[in-house]
Amino acid sequence: MTPHFIRQLIIHTICNVTGEPPENITAKNRIELNTRDWEQIFSRLEATLDIQTGMLTSTERSISIDALTPVLHAKISDDIVI
């Protein structure tokens, strides 16, 4: 799975949960979320990517798509067993 695909998945998931259009999401440097949206976004991302990020229990409610993308990509790569 490429970092570009993961970035698009993050944007898609945020848009589906918050109802905001992609251009609004990508225009922001950091995205502020309420607790409900945060939990929905990370539970969907974890389920889709079949990983555990530990972000569900985080007290942080602000994310950067550009910072999150390589974290998720690395997590997927770490979980691959050959």
Side-chain angles (χ1 to χ4, degrees):
M1 201 170 296
T2 67
H4 178 72
F5 178 83
I6 293 170
R7 184 177 191 281
Q8 294 303 315
L9 177 64
I10 294 166
I11 293 166
H12 176 78
T13 304
I14 292 170
C15 291
N16 278 342
V17 171
T18 65
E20 285 197 57
E23 50 276 356
N24 288 4
I25 296 299
T26 56
K28 298 176 183 176
N29 201 21
R30 291 196 67 80
I31 300 156
E32 300 288 332
L33 299 163
N34 64 39
T35 300
R36 181 197 157 284
D37 288 350
W38 179 270
E39 290 172 352
Q40 285 290 313
I41 289 165
F42 280 97
S43 88
R44 290 179 188 196
L45 288 172
E46 287 182 358
T48 302
L49 299 172
D50 194 25
I51 59 172
Q52 289 185 346
T53 63
M55 299 294 285
L56 278 170
T57 57
S58 171
T59 57
E60 179 70 32
R61 297 292 181 255
S62 171
I63 58 170
S64 162
I65 294 169
D66 292 334
L68 181 59
T69 299
V71 170
L72 294 182
H73 186 258
K75 185 67 179 163
I76 290 168
S77 299
D78 290 347
D79 285 356
I80 294 175
V81 177
I82 299 175

